[in-house]
Amino acid sequence: MERALKRYSPIFILPTFLAFLIGFIIPFAEGLYLSFCKFTTVGNAKWTGIDNYKYVLTDSSFIHSFCFTTAFAVVSIILINVLAFALALLLTRKLKGTNLFRTVFFMPNLIGGIVLGYIWQILINCVLSLVGKPLLALNTTAGYWGMIILMCWQQIGYMMIIYIAGLQNVPDDLIEAARIDGSSTWSTLWRVKIPMVMPSITICVFLTLTNSFKLFDQNLALTAGDPNHLTEMLALNIYNTFYSRAGAQWKGFGQAKAVLFCILVIVLSMIQLRATRSKEVQQ
């Protein structure tokens, strides 16, 4: 039986491999090639070498989008994970109505990003008008914090569920032993609970990191990069470069930006995974 499974296993692997090859490997390789070309369609690509990358690395709009996205990612990662972990701690204390609260906090994650963006655009503009401040289309600061609020509102509930699962897997014996040794609640949190839930922290930080850098639909719906592209994040900048400008050169510029964007997210994710996994302890 085991010999037969080894013999026929490639047959079962083949459909998944072909789907991965057709849906990811081939398009990625073709996209990498097109980033060195000037083109309007795939069939008329003309090789231009590293000219596209030279332009991208000196493009002020792309550099600003990178800085804006980085500032957004740092704040949103910290806020989402701290608040989600705090909620998870609260909702694992066997309080009344915890299941209801878990459902309520998780529900925003089920709403599409475009819908959330327009909802929060209306809410934030109403608040700004009441306090006499410029609306989102003319207010860079409000646009920045509006996206952070939107991201937190959408993601905290999802990360909370992951943290709850991690906290529930912490052995009660360890917590009881810490209490017997005279450990305070704060000390138990830092020396027992957090080290034991590091796998959950690794997952949540990875998800919030990649989601923050890849943010597109919420950015498009909430601010659309206004005012004057000052709240334009990397994904939206790439989209506008590729689709909003006429001319073969802009397709190549947009494709080069997309490749650099992909490399950036991969590198940051690998660094984060290595850093947080090194803190994990074996249970």
Side-chain angles (χ1 to χ4, degrees), residues 233-248:
M233 301 182 71
L234 281 172
L236 183 58
N237 179 267
I238 294 169
Y239 173 85
N240 286 334
T241 301
F242 198 94
Y243 290 106
S244 299
R245 297 184 179 183

Side-chain angles (χ1 to χ4, degrees), residues 124-138:
I124 294 172
N125 277 334
C126 287
V127 173
L128 291 173
S129 63
L130 288 174
V131 297
K133 298 291 184 180
L135 301 183
L136 285 172
L138 300 171

Side-chain angles (χ1 to χ4, degrees), residues 46-106:
K46 180 180 178 182
W47 182 267
T48 59
I50 62 172
D51 290 349
N52 291 336
Y53 288 95
K54 287 181 179 178
Y55 171 82
V56 168
L57 294 175
T58 57
D59 180 12
S60 60
S61 68
F62 185 71
I63 294 171
H64 173 78
S65 295
F66 169 74
C67 296
F68 185 83
T69 304
T70 302
F72 168 83
V74 170
V75 176
S76 64
I77 289 169
I78 294 172
L79 286 177
I80 291 171
N81 284 281
V82 170
L83 294 175
F85 188 76
L87 285 174
L89 284 173
L90 184 64
L91 296 178
T92 50
R93 292 188 175 184
K94 299 180 181 179
L95 302 174
K96 290 183 179 180
T98 54
N99 290 333
L100 174 62
F101 286 121
R102 291 178 189 181
T103 303
V104 170
F105 287 129
F106 183 77

